[in-house]
Amino acid sequence: MHSQDSGSSAGGPAPGHPAAGITPDAAGAGGVAAPAGRPVGPPAPQHEAVGLLPLVDAAVLEELEEELAGTGLAQRFARDYAAMWDQRFTRLAAAVEEHDGDSALDAAISLKISSAMVGGTRLARLAELLEAMIRRGDFGQGQELMRQVAREGGLTITELRSSYIFDTGRGPAGQGPSN
């Protein structure tokens, strides 16, 4: 499985250089902060199109199962992901609210990677947009985006639980009991 991690909070990109995966053109449109901490160019992320992405991409979960040789680890990972949602969201929301760049960046990257791994494409994209806002130091827009992260996160967890996670000894929807 390939992660789409564009960096981590340990160091981050050098001042004036775009983060990994951000082209110089995108950096000029708000992908990187100037050395003085001021955003370069106007904010770029448009999150209106995020709603067009699926909540959960079943193909990603199938690929994870194949990579793990059908051992049930993919399902356990999805179950743990769902169980940790409240804690993960609370940590991210607090860091964004407090303008704690390092903690917010760590939490956003963690959400982006783990969401992508369970096929939560919409939530992973929102976390990626939030990561870009945090890197720019735009916590005002980050706080606004957190409302959408909360809503889409809850929907993602509900979708995972209803279509993939074996919470009651049943297999995925329509497959009957698991053995």
Side-chain angles (χ1 to χ4, degrees):
M1 168 133 296
H2 303 317
S3 100
Q4 296 178 0
D5 187 7
S6 63
S8 70
S9 64
H17 295 282
I22 298 178
T23 65
D25 291 339
V32 69
R38 292 181 307 272
V40 176
Q46 296 181 7
H47 44 88
E48 294 83 18
V50 169
L52 300 175
L53 296 170
L55 279 171
V56 176
D57 183 349
V60 173
L61 289 164
E62 290 170 15
E63 181 182 342
L64 185 59
E65 286 176 3
E66 288 173 17
E67 288 180 10
L68 298 173
T71 60
L73 290 175
Q75 188 179 44
R76 280 188 290 240
F77 179 78
R79 186 179 300 124
D80 290 347
Y81 171 87
M84 291 178 59
W85 166 247
D86 288 337
Q87 177 184 356
R88 183 175 276 135
F89 177 79
T90 300
R91 178 178 165 237
L92 176 60
V96 170
E97 178 72 27
E98 296 167 8
H99 297 209
D100 181 345
D102 289 341
S103 294
L105 193 57
D106 264 356
I109 290 169
S110 173
L111 179 61
K112 177 181 72 173
I113 293 170
S114 60
S115 296
M117 288 179 68
V118 296
T121 55
R122 195 179 300 176
L123 192 54
R125 179 65 178 133
L126 286 172
E128 183 177 24
L129 293 171
L130 184 60
E131 176 189 355
M133 289 175 188
I134 294 165
R135 288 186 187 277
R136 287 194 319 268
D138 190 350
F139 287 94
Q141 270 200 323
Q143 289 172 343
E144 290 178 28
L145 185 58
M146 287 302 297
R147 286 189 285 279
Q148 192 174 359
V149 169
R151 182 179 58 250
E152 299 297 340
L155 291 171
T156 299
I157 299 306
T158 298
E159 178 70 17
L160 276 170
R161 286 184 172 146
S162 69
S163 66
Y164 185 74
I165 298 173
F166 299 167
D167 280 337
T168 60
R170 293 179 27 224
Q175 291 187 5
S178 64
N179 292 335

